[in-house]
Amino acid sequence: MGISDEISPADAHGGSSPGKEQQAAGVGILLQIMMLVLSFVLGHVLRRHKFYYLPEASASLLIGLIVGGLANISNTETSIRSWFNFHEEFFFLFLLPPIIFQSGFSLSPKPFFSNFGAIVTFAILGTFIASTVTGVLVYLGGLTYLMYRLPFVECLMFGALISATDPVTVLSIFQELGTDTNLYALVFGESVLNDAMAISLYRTMSLVRSHAASGENFFMVIVRFLETFVGSLSAGVGVGFTSALLFKYAGLDIDNLQNLECCLFVLFPYFSYMLAEGVGLSGIVSILFTGIVMKHYTFSNLSEKSQQFVQAFFHLLSSLAETFVFIYMGFDIAMEQHSWSHVGFIFFSILFIVIARAANVFSCGYLVNLVRPAHRQIPAKHQKALWYSGLRGAMAFALALQSVHDLPEGHGQTIFTATTAIVVLTVLLIGGSTGTMLEALHVVGDGHDGHDGSLGEIFEENNGYVAPSYDEELSSGNKIKMKLKEFHKSTASFSALDRNYLTPFFTSHNGDDEEDEEEQDVPMTSSRRGGFRGRGRV
C-alpha cells in the first residue's frame, strides 16, 4: 500500500502459481473498476438531483470507506490488500501528474491574469503564513503536552503539507449555483498555485531536516527554497514555451498529422515532470506551470480537432485519477494500520489549521484591499468563502504519504494518520455543508446572471480585484501601500507584455485576436481535480 509492508499475491494465497496470481490481480482490477463506475454513476445521480450535501468527492471517499470496512468485517483484508497492491510510485508517477497538469491547463488566462496579484498574494504569502502558523502551533501544542510532540522542523513539514488545499467540492458547487466571477477566479487560482508553494516548502523543510547536523543558517534555507521553487517553475515554463514554438513552426496542424500532433502534445507534460525529477527538482511544480503555459500559448497552435481531443483527454485522465485517489483514501483509512493512539494530535491539528487558514485569508485580504478604492475591495463575505474553501485533498495526502519515508518511524505515521483523517473530515463535513455556507453568505447566483456574455467587460485591463485604477491619491507617508500599488501595477504591465510580445511570438496570431476569441469563447468547464462537468463560463 506504499506505507507498510506490502503483501504480495503469492504470499496471500500461500505461494500459489503464476496463474493464480494473475487471477488475483484481475479480481483486484475488477474491484477497482467497479468502485470507479459506482462513484461516477453515484456522482451523476447526486448532481442531477442537485443533492449538494454529498458531493462527488465525498461519495468516492465513502465508497472506499465502505469497501474497506466490509473487508475488515469479513476477515478478507489480507486478500483485498493483495488485490489492490498499491505502489507509492504509481501514485506519484501516474495519478498525480495528470491531476496537477489539468489544474494548470484548465485555467482561463483572462480571469487568472486579471486577478494575478491577489492570487499570488494568497497562494505564495498566504500559504507561507498558513504553514508557519500551523507548524508553530503544533510545536507549541507538543511542548504543552496537548498533543504528540514532534521536533520543530518536522512540525514545519507537517504545516507545509497540510496547507495544500483542494477545493474541488466548493468549486463544483460554485459552478452549479453560479457565483461572482472574481471569487471563482480567486479560489481556483489560489488552489492551483498553492500546491506548488506547499510542495516547495515541504521539500525545503525536508532538506533542512536532513542537513540539520551541518548547522545551515536561515539564509541557506531561503536559498534552498528558491532553488526548488524557481528551478521547478523555470523548467516547467521552459518546456511549455518550447512546445509552443514547436507546434507553431512544425506545421502539424493539418488533417493527416492530427494523430502525431496529439501524441506530441500529450508527451510534453510528462517530459516536464520527469525532467524536473531527474535533476532533483519538483516534478509537480514543473508540470503545473507547463500546464499553464501550454494552455495559454501551445493550445492555440493546435488544429481545431486536436484542441478538442487534448482538452477532453486530459479532462478524462484527471477525472479518473482524482476519483481513484479519493476512493483509495477512503479505502486506506479503513484498512491501514493508523496511529489512532494520538487522537489529540488529530483534534488539535484540525483546530490549528482552521486558525492558520484564517490567518492566511484575512491577513492577505487586508493587504490586497489596501491598494484599491472602496468599490473594488474584496468583500468580507468573499474572504469568508475563501477561508471555508480550504479543504485538504490529493496533494496533502501525497505529501503525507511521502513523510512516512522521510521521517522516523512513528513520526511519519502519526502525520499520515492525522492528514488522512483531516482530508476525510474536511471533504465530508465541509464539502457537504458548502451549499448551505454559500447561501448563508449570499455569494451564489450573483456572478453569472449580471454579466452574461460580458466576460471581457468583467476582466478589463484595469478591472477585477487586482488591476484597479491607480488615480487614487495615496495617504501621505504610507510606504507599504505605495509598494503594494507598485506590485499590482506590475501585473497590469505583465498583461500588456503578454498581449504585445509573448502571445505574438509564441502563437500564430496576435494578442488582440486572442482577446477577441476569449471574449466570444465559452470554454469547456474544466476540473479542479476532476470537480466539474459540462460547459459554462469561468
Side-chain angles (χ1 to χ4, degrees):
M1 298 276 291
I3 64 173
S4 61
D5 295 335
E6 294 180 359
I7 301 175
S8 66
D11 295 336
H13 297 277
S16 56
S17 64
K20 291 289 186 180
E21 293 178 12
Q22 184 175 356
Q23 181 182 8
V27 172
I29 294 174
L30 175 63
L31 178 62
Q32 295 170 39
I33 292 175
M34 288 173 60
M35 288 193 291
L36 283 170
V37 170
L38 178 60
S39 178
F40 282 116
V41 172
L42 181 58
H44 170 72
V45 172
L46 293 172
R47 189 170 58 254
R48 185 174 182 179
H49 291 84
K50 300 182 185 295
F51 188 78
Y52 300 124
Y53 296 103
L54 187 65
E56 292 176 69
S58 302
S60 301
L61 268 173
L62 284 178
I63 290 172
L65 282 169
I66 292 171
V67 172
L70 291 176
N72 283 330
I73 294 173
S74 61
N75 294 320
T76 59
E77 176 183 351
T78 299
S79 177
I80 290 185
R81 186 188 297 275
S82 67
W83 291 345
F84 267 76
N85 200 22
F86 190 86
H87 290 278
E88 182 183 320
E89 292 78 9
F90 176 73
F91 186 87
F92 284 102
L93 296 180
F94 295 100
L95 292 182
L96 271 185
I99 294 173
I100 301 301
F101 177 79
Q102 177 66 11
S103 297
F105 189 72
S106 60
L107 279 176
S108 295
K110 205 175 190 70
F112 176 77
F113 287 113
S114 296
N115 290 278
F116 186 73
I119 290 171
V120 168
T121 303
F122 283 107
I124 306 299
L125 177 61
T127 303
F128 178 78
I129 292 173
S131 62
T132 303
V133 170
T134 302
V136 170
L137 289 177
V138 169
Y139 181 70
L140 293 177
L143 289 180
T144 55
Y145 301 102
L146 291 175
M147 56 197 301
Y148 185 71
R149 183 174 178 179
L150 295 173
F152 183 63
V153 175
E154 294 180 12
C155 291
L156 292 177
M157 291 174 66
F158 175 66
L161 70 88
I162 206 64
S163 296
T165 61
D166 186 9
V168 52
T169 301
V170 177
L171 288 172
S172 62
I173 295 178
F174 275 7
Q175 185 65 27
E176 293 287 340
L177 301 180
T179 189
D180 182 83
T181 316
N182 286 303
L183 175 60
Y184 186 100
L186 272 182
V187 174
F188 187 47
E190 186 257 351
S191 65
V192 169
L193 296 185
N194 163 274
D195 283 346
M197 183 67 178
I199 194 172
S200 297
L201 285 173
Y202 176 84
R203 289 203 170 192
T204 301
M205 292 299 104
S206 180
L207 287 173
V208 169
R209 179 188 171 276
S210 62
H211 293 85
S214 62
E216 289 186 342
N217 55 30
F218 181 75
F219 175 75
M220 289 304 299
V221 173
I222 299 298
V223 170
R224 289 188 178 278
F225 168 75
L226 292 176
E227 177 184 350
T228 301
F229 185 79
V230 178
S232 304
L233 184 154
S234 301
V237 171
V239 171
F241 280 147
T242 301
S243 69
L245 291 175
L246 172 66
F247 284 96
K248 179 180 179 179
Y249 293 109
L252 301 175
D253 54 342
I254 53 180
D255 290 338
N256 61 340
L257 292 179
Q258 180 185 344
N259 185 50
L260 174 61
E261 187 180 34
C262 294
C263 289
L264 287 175
F265 192 94
V266 169
L267 289 174
F268 265 99
Y270 268 103
F271 175 77
S272 170
Y273 184 89
M274 297 305 173
L275 174 65
E277 290 291 332
V279 296
L281 298 173
S282 170
I284 297 298
V285 176
S286 179
I287 199 173
L288 169 63
F289 285 96
T290 298
I292 295 174
V293 173
M294 289 186 72
K295 178 57 181 292
H296 193 43
Y297 300 105
T298 313
F299 184 74
S300 61
N301 292 331
L302 300 178
S303 63
E304 184 177 351
K305 290 184 179 179
S306 295
Q307 287 181 350
Q308 295 173 354
F309 172 80
V310 298
Q311 200 163 26
F313 177 77
F314 285 114
H315 182 74
L316 169 66
L317 277 185
S318 65
S319 296
L320 286 171
E322 177 72 20
T323 304
F324 185 84
V325 167
F326 277 105
I327 290 174
Y328 173 69
M329 283 192 287
F331 184 86
D332 179 85
I333 197 171
M335 296 189 65
E336 192 57 54
Q337 298 298 320
H338 291 282
S339 300
W340 296 115
S341 57
H342 303 301
V343 177
F345 188 91
I346 298 173
F347 173 78
F348 285 104
S349 294
I350 294 174
L351 177 63
F352 293 157
I353 65 173
V354 170
I355 296 172
R357 179 68 179 173
N360 167 359
V361 172
F362 297 117
S363 62
C364 291
Y366 173 77
L367 291 176
V368 172
N369 281 342
L370 281 177
V371 302
R372 71 205 58 203
H375 66 282
R376 297 184 188 273
Q377 303 277 302
I378 302 179
K381 63 180 182 180
H382 287 186
Q383 295 184 43
K384 292 175 184 177
L386 188 61
W387 167 71
Y388 199 86
S389 65
L391 284 74
R392 271 60 181 178
M395 181 54 68
F397 178 78
L399 292 177
L401 195 64
Q402 184 65 44
S403 72
V404 176
H405 302 284
D406 293 341
L407 301 179
E409 184 177 356
H411 293 189
Q413 191 68 44
T414 300
I415 288 177
F416 180 78
T417 300
T419 303
T420 307
I422 290 169
V423 169
V424 172
L425 288 174
T426 56
V427 170
L428 291 180
L429 298 182
I430 297 180
S433 60
T434 297
T436 305
M437 178 274 297
L438 294 176
E439 292 175 355
L441 293 176
H442 305 289
V443 296
V444 292
D446 63 348
H448 294 282
D449 297 336
H451 301 288
D452 186 31
S454 58
L455 187 62
E457 296 176 10
I458 298 172
F459 293 109
E460 289 180 356
E461 190 65 41
N462 289 324
N463 202 354
Y465 280 148
V466 213
S469 60
Y470 297 95
D471 299 331
E472 304 286 325
E473 287 191 14
L474 294 174
S475 303
S476 58
N478 194 339
K479 294 183 179 180
I480 296 179
K481 182 179 285 191
M482 173 70 80
K483 292 293 184 182
L484 289 172
K485 280 184 178 287
E486 290 300 322
F487 172 75
H488 289 302
K489 271 188 176 180
S490 67
T491 65
S493 300
F494 175 79
S495 297
L497 172 67
D498 173 61
R499 183 177 63 254
N500 296 328
Y501 298 101
L502 296 180
T503 296
F505 182 77
F506 288 105
T507 67
S508 54
H509 50 76
N510 59 48
D512 295 332
D513 293 339
E514 183 184 62
E515 199 166 310
D516 294 337
E517 288 176 9
E518 284 179 356
E519 290 178 8
Q520 297 172 3
D521 182 43
V522 180
M524 176 177 176
T525 305
S526 51
S527 66
R528 162 61 177 168
R529 316 293 172 75
F532 312 124
R533 310 290 186 270
R535 297 177 67 88
R537 288 190 183 276
V538 176

